[in-house]
Amino acid sequence: MKVAEIKVSYSSKNMEKIKITSSQSVYNLVLSNWDLNIIEFQEEVKVVLLNRANIVLGIYEMSKGGISGTVVDLRIILAVALKCSASGIVLIHNHPSGNLEPSDVDKQLTTKLKEACKLLDLVLLDHLIISKEGYYSFSDNDIL
């Protein structure tokens, strides 16, 4: 009887070592890796994966949705973090409307992800809501 073989891979060849020191440094990094033509049109979710020294391992493009929402599957976020041996993660998404205030859904998602990370010895360092003009940091606003 044949079953599918599972392969896990992660590659970081010749990548620049970027250290995250603040929410501003995360914002600058993701904004430079975001399609600015879409940021005000389509909601996207990305995850910055970090090692124990807060060096960026990579950015995972979680999902692209519509004007007012997108799917965030916590299991996929956690699987990707484990796959690349991340110690910490930062969740980032944009609000195409430009409104940086977190919704109730944003707050619930953050709480749920933080609890799930604890079970796997991962740290949810922050959740940023971004636009071209600025960002909202859950960590900076003491709601993480």
Side-chain angles (χ1 to χ4, degrees):
M1 186 180 320
K2 288 196 166 208
V3 295
E5 179 182 344
I6 308 255
K7 291 185 179 183
V8 177
S9 68
Y10 166 73
S11 176
S12 63
K13 297 175 186 168
N14 302 321
M15 300 304 293
E16 187 177 341
K17 292 197 180 218
I18 300 168
K19 185 174 177 84
I20 296 301
T21 58
S22 67
S23 59
Q24 182 70 51
S25 63
V26 174
Y27 175 69
N28 294 340
L29 173 69
V30 295
L31 202 60
S32 68
N33 286 277
W34 210 285
D35 183 343
L36 297 180
N37 295 316
I38 293 179
I39 200 167
E40 294 175 335
F41 174 69
Q42 184 178 21
E43 189 163 327
E44 295 181 77
V45 176
K46 298 184 183 193
V47 181
V48 177
L49 301 139
L50 306 152
N51 70 12
R52 199 164 292 288
N54 286 347
I55 303 294
V56 175
L57 297 170
I59 299 174
Y60 177 70
E61 295 186 10
M62 172 71 209
S63 65
K64 288 185 181 186
I67 294 169
S68 61
T70 189
V71 175
V72 179
D73 190 325
L74 298 183
R75 294 170 298 174
I76 293 174
I77 293 172
L78 297 172
V80 168
L82 292 173
K83 189 183 293 185
C84 67
S85 298
S87 294
I89 62 174
V90 178
L91 183 66
I92 299 106
H93 79 282
N94 66 311
H95 281 174
S97 67
N99 177 7
L100 296 176
E101 283 299 310
S103 67
D104 288 339
V105 172
D106 293 335
K107 292 175 185 175
Q108 291 166 5
L109 171 67
T110 303
T111 300
K112 200 171 174 181
L113 181 57
K114 182 179 177 182
E115 293 302 313
C117 283
K118 281 183 189 176
L119 292 172
L120 300 173
D121 289 328
L122 294 168
V123 179
L124 176 61
L125 297 166
D126 207 344
H127 178 178
L128 298 184
I129 300 170
I130 70 166
S131 72
K132 279 184 184 178
E133 287 78 37
Y135 67 95
Y136 178 92
S137 162
F138 279 66
S139 184
D140 291 353
N141 287 281
D142 295 322
I143 59 170
L144 183 59

